[in-house]
Amino acid sequence: MTATPSRPDTPFAPRAQHPACLRQGRPSGGAPDVSPDTRNDTRNDTRNHPRARDLLTLMALPVVAALALPAAFASGGTRRWFGGRAESQRAEAQAAKDAAAAAFYELDTAQRDLRISIETITAVDDSPAARRAVSDFDALGRRIDEVSHQYINAVDAHDLDRDDLEASVATRARAELTAAKDELTRVKEELDRFTDGLGPLLGKAETQLARLAPAVERARQALLAATNALDGVRSSGLKADDLAARLAALGPELTRLNQGAGQHGVPQTLERAERVARDAEAVRAEAERLPERAAEIDHRLVSLRTRAEALRTRSGQVEPVLSELRRRFSAACWQDLQHVPEQAADSVAQAELKLREARVARDEQRWPDATSLLSTVRALLNGTDEAVSAAGDRLRRLNAVQKDPQAEIDRTRFAIRDAQRLAMAGRSTPDPRHARPLDDSVGRLDRAVATLEGRHPDYWHFLTETEAVRATVARTVSQIREDRGSGGV
């Protein structure tokens, strides 16, 4: 594009009159020539001569300017163009207003940040320290409201954009705005100190919040793993109804976890997430072990049935043993075994009944019931085994002591003498706490030996007494060693 050149002759440039213009003046001493021809000539002359047109434009400018200036000064957004003390005070007041606005913004921002920290603490911590922090924050908030109102009132009280602003008004506005800024700054410093003091509480809260998301995710993953494990077990033909019920009971807990800590609280949500993860993990572990558990139950059913059959056979051998005991020894040696055959037969019958119930529970895949019934069977068979074995063991021990009672006596006396030597080691006299039970054991052994005299000695009483003496001696030896190990002797 080419810029349009400016006209060479402007109405503001003084220049000489052209002689031709002077010739179109009025005749001397007469009226102006106003004939049509003359008017037309004048109009044409003005239209055809640029310099004449410029002269008319220059003559019209004072009129336009006179009309425009009052409108310009009447505009509300235009300040007066002259300076002075009032304008200087206006500038200072405006600077104070800007500084106060910056202080107000900083305080408002800090308060918003601190409110987030307080909300974080209250969401996690309900301790007395946390409640005290909330109370202090509320008090500080009231102080912030006071200085904020002071600032807003100072701003609203003075219009610094007024054209007729007086210097005294500007000075007063600057003083009030500066005072408001100082108060805002002072409260901001209090707010900063309060924020620094919240460090431990905020750190603890943020730590718990940092644990929250991973804990909830672990709970969800544990539930998913338990569900998958249960599906795998069911696909193999096992019901696992009890595990399914336990897993279904965790559904409402998962719903509460999904609702979030904002509704239920961070500590409660953390505790719930850990509990759900723990319970779901237990369900998963049991589901994965269920095939092995079923195989184990099958094995125990076979094993316990075989053992019950063997005990039924052995219980039938108790009666001959009792007959020999009755024939060779006194009643005191076998009287407590009199009902072993009947008790053994009854216990084996109960065990076989529980075995059949356990088999039904296994077929119905009631795993806890099957396990409980098998435990009952095992306890019954253990008791029967001990009773049946007791008869044979009694006959063996009575035969041994009848043949050589001195071996039992020597065994017991050796234990007493060994304990006495230990009690006297490093001492001139024994500790009464140790000597008394050992002396009593010597007397008790002598009395047991005396029962062997006569036509029908009570060998069983003799055996139980010697066992009791050895037990007393063993407790005394343990006490001696314990006292010396602790420095008591």
Side-chain angles (χ1 to χ4, degrees), residues 167-185:
S168 59
V169 175
T171 300
R172 186 168 59 255
R174 178 177 61 82
E176 293 179 4
L177 290 168
T178 300
K181 186 264 293 181
D182 293 340
E183 286 297 315
L184 291 168
T185 302

Side-chain angles (χ1 to χ4, degrees), residues 154-409:
V155 171
D156 292 342
H158 305 286
D159 183 8
L160 300 181
D161 290 331
R162 290 175 52 190
D163 291 331
D164 57 348
L165 182 67
E166 298 179 358
S168 59
V169 175
T171 300
R172 186 168 59 255
R174 178 177 61 82
E176 293 179 4
L177 290 168
T178 300
K181 186 264 293 181
D182 293 340
E183 286 297 315
L184 291 168
T185 302
R186 188 176 300 110
V187 175
K188 171 64 165 52
E189 292 173 352
E190 296 178 14
L191 193 68
D192 291 340
R193 287 192 296 271
F194 180 74
T195 302
D196 294 339
L198 290 179
L201 287 174
L202 184 59
K204 177 183 176 182
E206 289 176 344
T207 299
Q208 285 197 323
L209 287 175
R211 290 173 49 205
L212 181 62
V216 172
E217 183 61 23
R218 281 194 299 271
R220 290 172 179 163
Q221 293 300 321
L223 284 170
L224 178 61
T227 302
N228 293 336
L230 191 59
D231 291 342
V233 166
R234 286 178 164 178
S235 64
S236 66
L238 299 175
K239 294 181 181 178
D241 292 338
D242 58 327
L243 295 180
R246 287 165 57 186
L247 189 61
L250 296 177
E253 296 298 306
L254 177 62
T255 300
R256 295 185 181 93
L257 287 177
N258 291 333
Q259 288 172 347
Q263 181 172 347
H264 299 286
V266 174
Q268 294 80 2
T269 302
L270 273 175
E271 189 275 334
R272 179 175 291 111
E274 293 172 356
R275 185 177 65 254
V276 169
R278 183 172 58 252
D279 294 346
E281 176 61 22
V283 171
R284 182 200 63 79
E286 292 186 32
E288 291 180 349
R289 188 179 174 274
L290 194 54
E292 179 184 352
R293 184 181 183 185
E296 180 183 352
I297 289 176
D298 292 339
H299 175 74
R300 291 180 64 187
L301 280 169
V302 174
S303 175
L304 290 174
R305 183 179 297 107
T306 302
R307 186 181 177 190
E309 294 173 354
L311 278 175
R312 179 175 292 280
T313 302
R314 287 180 58 199
S315 63
Q317 300 172 357
V318 174
E319 190 60 40
V321 173
L322 287 176
S323 296
E324 185 173 356
L325 287 171
R326 295 188 193 102
R327 180 173 52 85
R328 294 177 52 197
F329 300 97
S330 63
C333 295
W334 49 264
Q335 207 165 22
D336 59 317
L337 300 175
Q338 188 73 15
H339 301 290
V340 168
E342 295 83 359
Q343 292 175 351
D346 183 63
S347 296
V348 170
Q350 291 186 38
E352 290 175 341
L353 176 61
K354 296 298 181 182
L355 276 173
R356 289 191 293 270
E357 294 177 0
R359 166 55 65 182
V360 173
R362 161 60 183 95
D363 294 340
E364 295 177 355
Q365 298 188 21
R366 292 184 285 110
W367 310 112
D369 293 342
T371 301
S372 176
L373 287 167
L374 289 176
S375 297
T376 302
V377 171
R378 182 178 181 181
L380 287 169
L381 295 180
N382 285 342
T384 304
D385 192 6
E386 291 177 0
V388 171
S389 299
D393 182 66
R394 178 79 58 87
L395 180 59
R396 179 185 60 79
R397 294 181 64 187
L398 289 173
N399 285 335
V401 73
Q402 184 184 41
K403 182 179 180 180
D404 185 14
Q406 191 61 43
E408 185 72 12
I409 296 171

Side-chain angles (χ1 to χ4, degrees), residues 308 420 459:
Q420 288 172 340
Y459 290 107

